[in-house]
Amino acid sequence: MAATYEDHLQCSIIHGFSTRLTQEEAELLEKQSGILSVLPEMIYKLHTTHSPEFLGLGSSDFCCPCVCLLKRGLGPVPSTWKGTCEAGKNFNSSSCNRKLIGAQYFSKGYEAAFGPIDETMESKSPRDDDGHGTHTATTAAGSVVSGASLFGYAFGTARGMAPQARVAAYKVCWLGGCFSSDILAGMEKAVADGVNVISMSIGGGISDYNRDTVAIGAFRAVAQGILVSCSAGNSGPSPGSLTNVAPWITTVGAGTLDRDFPAYVSLGNGKNYSGISLYSGKPLSDSLVPLVYAGNVSNSTSGNLCMTGTLVPSQVAGKIVICDRGSNSRVQKGLVVKDSGALGMILANTELYGEELVADAHVLPTSTVGQRAADAIKNYAFTDPKPTATIASGGTKLGVEPSPVLAAFSSRGPNLVTPEVLKPDLIAPGSQHTGWMDRGSRGLAALIKGAHQDWSAAAIKSALMTTAYATYKNGENILDVATGQPSTPFDFGAGHVNPMAALDPGLVYDASVDDYLSFFCALNYTAADIKQITNEDFTCDSSKKYSLGDLNYPSFSVPLETASGKGGGAGVTSTVKYTRTLTNVGAPATYKLSMTSKTQSVKISVEPESLSFAKENEKKSYTVTFTATSMPSGTSSFAHLEWSDGKHVVGSPIAFSWT
């Protein structure tokens, strides 16, 4: 066996180059001596004033090393920083400062595929023309700004999760997408520059880890102590829709805040419905006006979608138009309605979107309504001989219950690459922000890193996961807005982030590169496969039995034998053992076990049931034995394991799936 990976660490994440090849040339090159792998270019997609208060970070008595300096401002740029501020169209080197300490762009892969960037359409520079990168950065680490609002909505003091953190921007996405070679180039430079956390709100398909360029780049970064956080994706609510599932990546889904922007619909039949909108222009009068369904006043078979040129102006002028959600953008529908002479729009969710509501800054009085309200409003419009309505804004509403709820668009598990690793890891505010959508955990990772600079990426992720919450005060699981039913760990992972608790988790599930090497061995990866990911020579020990269940992960996912599977059948049981190791990061204490389960098909035993820690950084291991009865394929159930010393609660979700 080769020496441990740490003996050979180098300050880079990839050793190679990008080039344009035919399929035949690529296959020939991969066969040459000295070539580790040839990976195809992949195109990835891009997937607030109240968030800190909702997360418990807004109180005046909150203090940690990276937040208590707010009134003192930011000091000089750290001398260890190696990054640069790259000039280009609409972006000068002077645009960088003590907050934005680096800004660069990467476009060679994109331009190799699509030709030179059209600078009449976008800036070939670090300038963010889209807004996505700006919001992800400011949500994570934005400085304090008082009197912030969006067109008068959500007024208050805006700040990021870690306002004292520095930001470096690496622009890798363009109008045609985000190319894997550019992403890797950006990650490479970020590591070389000396970042502590890499945040990527992008995603593509899923593949084996040794063929996943983002997973490879993330592994090289994590191996050098850098936490990598990625969005789970925006492809929910379909099961198995998530991306970025590598266990060394912190995979984050989206929840909502307890804030709403209501817009009320009043109908001529006296019925009232509540929707959502960020329209801030001249309001409609209280008087009712005629109401029409777009599909009935259109010159197109898809007129119900209010696409450009589909509405007949003479039939919509002076009226409120009901448009179905889908195909074109939500705000564009409003523009089409306004340009046709209408006074307002009701944006109706269809079955695909359910009750998920997204607040948009519309160009005319608008209310976006859930499917149930939409069906009722359309039924009225179809059956009343002279339907009428009006729309009124309700401003900004706080304290909305229940909250948080799981956003419908948030991608879901199970993990289709490695079912033994539960993904996503957790959820954080990612819906109904006053700007673009993001996941607050990125900034929280920086917050924890600032308070515990010696913690590894795995320890920080563990702190966020084991202190997360998955239930409301009444004990019910966080609701899924897509179904109106309780969600599961396949949807929210360990639960919703609780940053105050994560700063003092008591115990953590730490993991080193050696843990991931054993994970690769459990996947039966060859030495060549492992080298593709690690760029190091490592051979699995043929005399050692490796288990995916022994990866020191803060959650448990247990695939089980089905009644129809090999060895299955009525009454047949299977036994699976998982081992975990906890590291004490608090005071000496004894932790006792508690367990809850929603299934009687699996018996769970833990040995030992008590763990005593006498000093900081002491490690103790335990083993969980699952004895399961065969169940039909597609069955799933859940349990929860906790260790507590009376002050700290170190929780882990357990997911069972029979497939």
Side-chain angles (χ1 to χ4, degrees):
M1 183 180 295
T4 60
Y5 182 88
E6 287 84 348
D7 294 337
H8 302 283
L9 282 179
Q10 301 177 23
C11 286
S12 61
I13 63 167
I14 203 77
H15 296 275
F17 60 91
S18 299
T19 187
R20 298 182 66 176
L21 300 172
T22 65
Q23 182 67 32
E24 293 77 13
E25 289 171 334
E27 292 173 354
L28 179 62
L29 181 63
E30 193 164 26
K31 296 176 182 177
Q32 302 303 306
S33 175
I35 299 297
L36 185 60
S37 64
V38 177
L39 299 178
E41 185 82 89
M42 296 289 292
I43 302 178
Y44 293 76
K45 296 180 180 179
L46 287 169
H47 279 160
T48 132
T49 55
H50 184 57
S51 300
E53 285 74 17
F54 180 67
L55 293 171
L57 299 177
S59 58
S60 59
D61 58 347
F62 170 70
C63 185
C64 84
C66 50
V67 176
C68 292
L69 301 175
L70 286 178
K71 294 183 179 180
R72 293 167 51 187
L74 291 165
V77 175
S79 59
T80 55
W81 176 246
K82 302 181 181 67
T84 60
C85 198
E86 187 176 12
K89 183 178 180 182
N90 297 322
F91 195 88
N92 301 319
S93 58
S94 60
S95 299
C96 290
N97 50 37
R98 292 181 177 182
K99 167 59 73 171
L100 181 66
I101 61 174
Q104 297 170 68
Y105 69 92
F106 303 84
S107 62
K108 290 182 179 179
Y110 179 86
E111 292 185 290
F114 290 160
I117 288 172
D118 184 353
E119 295 200 59
T120 65
M121 299 293 293
E122 57 184 331
S123 303
K124 188 177 179 180
S125 75
R127 168 67 63 184
D128 178 16
D129 300 311
D130 174 88
H132 183 273
T134 299
H135 183 63
T136 54
T138 55
T139 299
S143 298
V144 175
V145 178
S146 60
S149 72
L150 179 66
F151 305 128
Y153 288 95
F155 184 86
T157 297
R159 49 158 284 201
M161 301 299 105
Q164 285 297 120
R166 318 284 181 152
V167 173
Y170 299 84
K171 182 178 176 181
V172 299
C173 294
W174 307 90
L175 286 178
C178 319
F179 278 63
S180 56
S181 57
D182 293 330
I183 295 171
L184 280 176
M187 295 177 72
E188 175 94 37
K189 193 63 171 67
V191 171
D193 288 347
V195 302
N196 302 114
V197 176
I198 293 177
S199 165
M200 297 193 297
S201 191
I202 54 178
I206 58 173
S207 59
D208 289 338
Y209 304 123
N210 63 321
R211 308 297 295 178
D212 184 334
T213 50
V214 168
I216 292 171
F219 181 89
R220 309 283 179 87
V222 168
Q224 297 179 60
I226 299 168
L227 183 138
V228 179
S229 177
C230 296
S231 55
N234 297 340
S235 301
S238 301
S241 55
L242 55 75
T243 62
N244 300 316
V245 298
W248 48 89
I249 292 175
T250 302
T251 310
V252 189
T256 66
L257 301 176
D258 64 340
R259 179 179 62 194
D260 214 344
F261 306 101
Y264 304 107
V265 177
S266 298
L267 302 180
N269 61 2
K271 298 290 182 66
N272 299 296
Y273 299 92
S274 180
I276 197 169
S277 179
L278 287 171
Y279 172 72
S280 61
K282 183 179 179 181
L284 287 175
S285 68
D286 294 336
S287 301
L288 297 170
V289 298
L291 176 68
V292 293
Y293 178 60
N296 295 335
V297 289
S298 170
N299 55 22
S300 169
T301 56
S302 60
N304 62 306
L305 297 172
C306 296
M307 301 178 76
T308 302
T310 61
L311 298 180
V312 180
S314 62
Q315 297 183 46
V316 302
K319 301 176 181 178
I320 292 175
V321 180
I322 305 168
C323 300
D324 284 335
R325 185 175 168 184
S327 295
N328 54 335
S329 75
R330 299 179 298 271
V331 174
Q332 185 187 38
K333 293 176 189 291
L335 184 61
V336 170
V337 171
K338 182 178 181 180
D339 289 346
S340 299
L343 297 178
M345 176 178 71
I346 298 173
L347 184 54
N349 273 12
T350 60
E351 183 178 2
L352 178 63
Y353 301 100
E355 299 305 312
E356 179 197 29
L357 300 179
V358 181
D360 296 304
H362 288 284
V363 297
L364 82 170
T366 297
S367 179
T368 300
V369 297
Q371 183 191 0
R372 290 190 293 270
D375 289 347
I377 293 170
K378 283 189 278 191
N379 182 64
Y380 164 70
F382 296 155
T383 57
D384 192 286
K386 291 185 178 181
T388 57
T390 191
I391 301 170
S393 170
T396 302
K397 182 180 179 181
L398 298 177
V400 174
E401 294 293 344
S403 63
V405 296
L406 184 74
F409 65 81
S410 186
S411 292
R412 318 300 172 90
N415 181 346
L416 300 182
V417 179
T418 313
E420 291 82 1
V421 177
L422 183 64
K423 289 285 184 171
D425 291 313
L426 43 81
I427 62 172
S431 182
Q432 305 303 21
H433 288 286
T434 54
W436 305 81
M437 291 179 294
D438 186 45
R439 314 291 184 264
S441 71
R442 295 150 173 75
L444 299 180
L447 188 76
I448 296 172
K449 184 69 173 180
H452 303 285
Q453 297 186 23
D454 59 333
W455 283 12
S456 68
I460 293 172
K461 176 164 71 171
S462 173
L464 288 168
M465 291 176 64
T466 60
T467 59
Y469 62 93
T471 61
Y472 302 122
K473 292 180 180 179
N474 63 4
E476 293 294 320
N477 272 14
I478 291 171
L479 289 180
D480 183 347
V481 74
T483 63
Q485 300 298 313
S487 52
T488 75
F490 284 142
D491 306 319
F492 55 67
H496 191 281
V497 289
N498 181 357
M500 291 294 287
L503 285 165
D504 180 23
L507 306 174
V508 295
Y509 293 88
D510 207 352
S512 67
V513 170
D514 287 338
D515 291 288
Y516 297 126
L517 292 174
S518 295
F519 173 74
F520 297 142
C521 293
L523 288 171
N524 295 318
Y525 276 17
T526 65
D529 293 333
I530 294 173
K531 189 167 185 177
Q532 287 178 4
I533 303 171
T534 67
N535 195 42
E536 292 296 323
D537 295 315
F538 181 87
T539 302
C540 300
D541 186 344
S542 60
S543 66
K544 183 178 179 180
K545 184 178 180 180
Y546 297 95
S547 170
L548 292 171
D550 290 343
L551 177 66
N552 202 36
Y553 215 69
S555 58
F556 296 81
S557 183
V558 189
L560 295 166
E561 189 69 51
T562 66
S564 58
K566 182 180 179 181
V572 174
T573 61
S574 58
T575 300
V576 179
K577 291 187 177 183
Y578 282 14
T579 299
R580 294 288 191 269
T581 299
L582 284 161
T583 301
N584 182 34
V585 292
T590 296
Y591 286 77
K592 300 289 183 64
L593 172 76
S594 65
M595 180 80 64
T596 58
S597 178
K598 295 186 176 181
T599 179
Q600 297 192 6
S601 298
V602 183
K603 293 182 179 179
I604 308 170
S605 62
V606 179
E607 180 63 36
E609 295 186 352
S610 176
L611 299 172
S612 294
F613 297 88
K615 58 185 178 180
E616 190 174 2
N617 295 321
E618 185 178 1
K619 298 179 183 293
K620 290 292 179 79
S621 298
Y622 68 94
T623 299
V624 187
T625 301
F626 305 101
T627 305
T629 302
S630 293
M631 297 288 286
S633 181
T635 303
S636 61
S637 192
F638 306 94
H640 193 77
L641 178 154
E642 288 183 355
W643 295 97
S644 178
D645 65 347
K647 176 184 177 182
H648 306 93
V649 175
V650 186
S652 296
I654 305 173
F656 303 109
S657 56
W658 287 264
T659 55

